[in-house]
């Protein structure tokens, strides 16, 4: 009897962590961290619509999702273009009937001394990282609020909390993502939509590779990370699955750092 009860409890826990037949949209979901999370959600049982600006990349990740036995759609979008996001949303609602999960991964960075940063570069970073995240939350949050349930996971950053040298626009945008996450959590949580964020540590991606490999900046990141290595993008999947699952039903307005201890560290030697 005890063994049967333990097995039943384990089964219940795994069901609450699973995403079987959930419908997930991953904005910026075709490269880097976004692609990894798209495939991770699919492996957890979700049907995943990974969307971004480039059709070829959308097609590529869609094929990988289908190889995992899940359904998807092949639709591009741009977080700078509300109509393109609405087109994806409407197609998802027509094809699947609902949106259960939204992961916001679209982002860009620009490294420059603050005194030299142009209005154009500042605006481009803020418009993608912060306004784009808000825009996607509005577009896909609307059907979630209507159905009384949803999970939104935004991508924050170490620079949401700690200053990074010569990244004024990026850091400001990512600090804004945390504030936006908390504000939406307060407003939408009572209506059944949980809004949380993940703050990745240093993960080598196409977005930051040139800033990390063989540079003094990269060496400093490693020194400040107690685990003494960069993260592997698949190490973000567990946090995304958890925040998207029923196990996180009472987690709202939180930021989970997946950073090898970076935010905890001060003196490392």
């Amino acid at each position: 009897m005890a063994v049967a009860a333990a097995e039943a409890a384990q089964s219940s826990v795994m069901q609450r962590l699973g995403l079987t037949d959930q419908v997930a949209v991953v904005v910026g979901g075709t490269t880097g961290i976004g692609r990894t999370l798209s495939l991770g959600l699919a492996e957890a049982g979700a049907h995943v619509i990974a969307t971004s600006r480039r059709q070829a990349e959308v097609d590529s990740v869609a094929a990988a999702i289908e190889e995992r036995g899940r359904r998807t759609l092949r639709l591009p979008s741009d977080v700078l273009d509300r109509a393109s996001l609405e087109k994806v949303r409407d197609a998802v609602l027509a094809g699947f009937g609902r949106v259960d999960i939204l992961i916001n991964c679209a982002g860009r960075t620009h490294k420059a001394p603050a005194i030299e940063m142009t209005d154009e570069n500042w605006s481009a970073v803020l418009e993608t990282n912060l306004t784009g995240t808000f825009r996607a939350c509005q577009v896909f949050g609307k059907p979630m609020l209507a159905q009384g349930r949803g999970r939104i996971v935004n991508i924050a950053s170490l620079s949401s909390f700690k200053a990074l040298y010569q990244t004024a626009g990026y850091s400001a945008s990512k600090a804004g993502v945390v504030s936006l996450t908390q504000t939406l959590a307060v407003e939408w949580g009572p209506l059944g939509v949980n809004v949380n964020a993940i703050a990745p540590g240093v993960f080598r991606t196409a977005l930051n590779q040139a800033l990390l490999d063989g540079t003094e900046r990269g060496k400093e990141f490693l020194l400040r990370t107690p685990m003494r290595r960069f993260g592997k993008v698949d190490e973000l999947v567990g946090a995304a699955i958890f925040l998207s699952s029923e196990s996180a039903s009472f987690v709202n307005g939180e930021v989970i750092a997946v950073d090898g201890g970076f935010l905890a560290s001060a003196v490392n030697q």
Side-chain angles (χ1 to χ4, degrees):
M1 294 290 291
V3 172
E7 290 177 347
Q10 183 179 19
S11 175
S12 176
V13 168
M14 295 310 295
Q15 287 175 357
R16 287 177 62 83
L17 270 173
L19 303 178
T20 302
D21 290 331
Q22 295 290 292
V23 180
V25 175
V26 184
V27 176
T30 62
T31 60
I33 289 172
R35 180 184 176 94
T36 298
L37 296 186
S38 294
L39 299 183
L41 295 182
E43 289 171 1
H47 305 297
V48 181
I49 298 84
T51 182
S52 69
R53 292 179 297 160
R54 298 176 180 85
Q55 185 68 56
E57 292 172 353
V58 171
D59 293 340
S60 174
V61 73
I65 290 166
E66 290 170 341
E67 287 173 1
R68 287 158 172 78
R70 312 303 173 202
R71 295 170 57 202
T72 188
L73 297 172
R74 289 168 163 77
L75 294 171
S77 68
D78 186 341
V79 295
L80 305 183
D81 179 3
R82 181 180 295 271
S84 73
L85 293 172
E86 291 174 338
K87 182 178 179 180
V88 173
R89 178 199 62 196
D90 293 347
V92 173
L93 292 176
F96 295 87
R98 66 188 194 279
V99 179
D100 299 305
I101 300 161
L102 170 67
I103 314 286
N104 279 311
C105 294
R108 65 184 297 168
T109 190
H110 180 79
K111 182 176 181 291
I115 199 68
E116 298 175 7
M117 193 166 196
T118 65
D119 287 353
E120 291 76 14
N121 285 329
W122 172 272
S123 297
V125 172
L126 268 290
E127 181 68 15
T128 296
N129 295 356
L130 181 55
T131 307
T133 294
F134 178 56
R135 191 174 286 124
C137 286
Q138 281 187 313
V139 168
F140 292 97
K142 188 173 183 178
M144 290 182 179
L145 292 167
Q147 69 200 20
R149 185 193 181 280
R151 299 283 189 268
I152 296 175
V153 181
N154 297 322
I155 300 299
S157 168
L158 297 177
S159 65
S160 300
F161 307 99
K162 300 293 184 181
L164 302 183
Y165 186 64
Q166 294 187 344
T167 59
Y170 182 79
S171 296
S173 72
K174 289 299 186 177
V177 166
V178 169
S179 181
L180 173 65
T181 297
Q182 294 169 337
T183 301
L184 294 182
V186 170
E187 187 172 341
W188 293 356
L191 304 175
V193 179
N194 297 44
V195 187
N196 295 287
I198 297 171
V202 187
F203 291 77
R204 186 187 289 106
T205 69
L207 189 67
N208 66 13
Q209 184 171 337
L211 298 177
L212 296 179
D213 291 344
T215 67
E216 292 303 311
R217 190 182 187 87
K219 292 176 184 177
E220 184 173 354
F221 274 128
L222 288 175
L223 180 64
R224 289 286 305 278
T225 303
M227 295 186 73
R228 291 294 191 273
R229 64 175 176 85
F230 297 136
K232 302 172 185 176
V233 288
D234 60 4
E235 291 176 308
L236 292 165
V237 172
I241 290 173
F242 167 66
L243 291 175
S244 300
S245 75
E246 189 59 28
S247 288
S249 57
F250 202 56
V251 180
N252 191 36
E254 292 298 319
V255 183
I256 296 180
V258 184
D259 67 351
F262 184 100
L263 291 176
S265 76
V267 177
N268 280 276
Q269 57 184 355

